[in-house]
Amino acid sequence: MQNEKTFFDRLNQKYSNLSKKQELAADYLKENYKTSALLSIIPLSKEIGVSEATVVRFANALGYNGFTEMMNDIKSYIKRELTTVERFEKYQIENKSVSPIYNVISNNIDILNRLSIDISQEKIVEIANKISMSNRVIVMGFESTAPFAEYFGYNMTRCGKEIMIITEKTGSLFDVLNFVKKEDFCISISFSRHSVKQISVMEFLKEKGVEIYSITESSQSPAAKNSKYITYIPMNSSIMSISSVHVGILTILQMIMSEYIILDKNEISNNLNKLEYYNEFFKTFYQE
């Protein structure tokens, strides 16, 4: 997996430094990237309403070595938006002679290498602090990310933190969201193809003043647009690579839990001792 950020990641980082004409190019490409990817520089500059030189300077401002490299990056992003069926068919075609075992290990290593470069300890500590100071943690995952929400919620509950888990299995959302407070903190795990219901819940929480931390694929994700804190795990179009994203998700959640345990170790120790008492009292585990 390459370490370069996507076109939209670059755009998000550099936008405030663009000139007015470069902002026109940025806004146009942001809204029309799929159709723009089919155009050469002359018709594209006419569509935007700027000169060809402005388009080239815009590409350079984002860190590209010219217009062609920028457009190739946009085309690569578009390829990531294939449907699940298309991804599976593509994987079958591309990997006929490659060992599935090697593919899984290679993709997982790529994900972990990327995280070791991109994730700062400062961000993980900041999220752990937000959890520690929050009234309650709302953790969300739909479809393939639901098990990660449940995994995180399970472990954090045993540490003594009040947790609300929201997945597609959650019943009436009114029952769980009616008591939301702005002092709560939300962790949302969402990747393409995004659940409409999950994004709607995020919009509701944001409106209520709840701060949201997202683990998602890019700055163009609808989850990112509703979040104050974000960690990106870029995806490519191979279905096996997408499955390896789950390794990244699990790793990030484990990092956060480890930092949280350090922050609140005394309280967590007390809660774990209580848990052991309850397990003993109710004979939770089988005794030889």
Side-chain angles (χ1 to χ4, degrees), residues 83-93 237-239:
T83 66
T84 302
V85 173
E86 288 170 327
R87 288 168 181 153
F88 184 68
E89 291 174 347
K90 185 174 185 292
Y91 173 76
Q92 287 183 309
I93 293 170
S237 58
S238 164
I239 194 168

Side-chain angles (χ1 to χ4, degrees), residues 56-287:
V56 173
R57 285 194 290 270
F58 167 66
N60 292 335
L62 296 190
Y64 293 108
N65 296 318
F67 172 81
T68 301
E69 185 178 285
M70 178 179 71
M71 299 311 288
N72 285 340
D73 203 7
I74 293 175
K75 289 174 184 176
S76 295
Y77 182 87
I78 293 171
K79 290 178 182 177
R80 297 172 189 172
E81 297 185 326
L82 295 169
T83 66
T84 302
V85 173
E86 288 170 327
R87 288 168 181 153
F88 184 68
E89 291 174 347
K90 185 174 185 292
Y91 173 76
Q92 287 183 309
I93 293 170
E94 292 180 350
N95 298 278
K96 286 182 178 179
S97 60
V98 180
S99 164
I101 295 173
Y102 173 82
N103 243 338
V104 169
I105 294 173
S106 176
N107 288 332
N108 289 352
I109 290 172
D110 282 346
I111 287 286
L112 295 176
N113 283 337
R114 173 67 185 253
L115 290 179
S116 70
I117 295 170
D118 287 355
I119 291 187
S120 67
Q121 183 178 356
E122 289 77 13
K123 176 178 281 189
I124 297 298
V125 171
E126 183 176 24
I127 299 305
N129 270 296
K130 288 290 180 180
I131 292 172
S132 178
M133 294 184 294
S134 67
N135 171 65
R136 172 180 56 180
V137 176
I138 302 165
V139 55
M140 286 197 296
F142 280 59
E143 303 296 336
S144 65
T145 63
F148 299 100
E150 293 172 349
Y151 164 82
F152 187 78
Y154 173 89
N155 285 284
M156 292 298 291
T157 298
R158 275 147 185 76
C159 289
K161 192 69 186 180
E162 184 178 350
I163 300 290
M164 175 194 294
I165 301 173
I166 299 178
T167 71
E168 66 271 14
K169 297 178 182 178
T170 303
S172 170
L173 285 177
F174 175 80
D175 293 340
V176 296
L177 296 177
N178 188 39
F179 303 102
V180 164
K181 299 178 180 178
K182 65 179 181 179
E183 294 81 13
D184 294 339
F185 184 69
C186 176
I187 296 177
S188 176
I189 311 163
S190 180
F191 285 79
S192 183
R193 306 159 74 192
H194 298 272
S195 162
V196 173
K197 192 172 185 180
Q198 183 171 358
I199 301 304
S200 296
V201 172
M202 292 179 71
E203 291 171 350
F204 175 85
L205 294 175
K206 184 179 179 182
E207 185 177 317
K208 292 291 183 182
V210 176
E211 292 185 340
I212 301 173
Y213 167 61
S214 274
I215 304 173
T216 190
E217 79 273 10
S218 81
S219 61
Q220 287 303 108
S221 156
K225 295 175 183 178
N226 290 290
S227 304
K228 183 173 181 179
Y229 310 95
I230 310 168
T231 295
Y232 300 122
I233 307 179
M235 301 166 62
N236 65 34
S237 58
S238 164
I239 194 168
M240 289 306 296
S241 294
I242 293 167
S243 296
S244 294
V245 167
H246 295 166
V247 173
I249 296 170
L250 184 61
T251 301
I252 292 167
L253 295 178
Q254 289 172 339
M255 289 177 181
I256 293 170
M257 286 189 291
S258 295
E259 287 294 340
Y260 174 71
I261 289 170
I262 293 172
L263 286 173
D264 289 351
K265 58 184 178 182
N266 291 332
E267 183 179 347
I268 291 170
S269 178
N270 289 335
N271 279 293
L272 290 177
N273 286 331
K274 290 178 184 178
L275 178 61
E276 284 304 311
Y277 170 78
Y278 294 145
N279 287 335
E280 180 65 27
F281 184 86
F282 290 105
K283 308 296 182 191
T284 303
F285 299 108
Y286 178 78
Q287 301 288 334

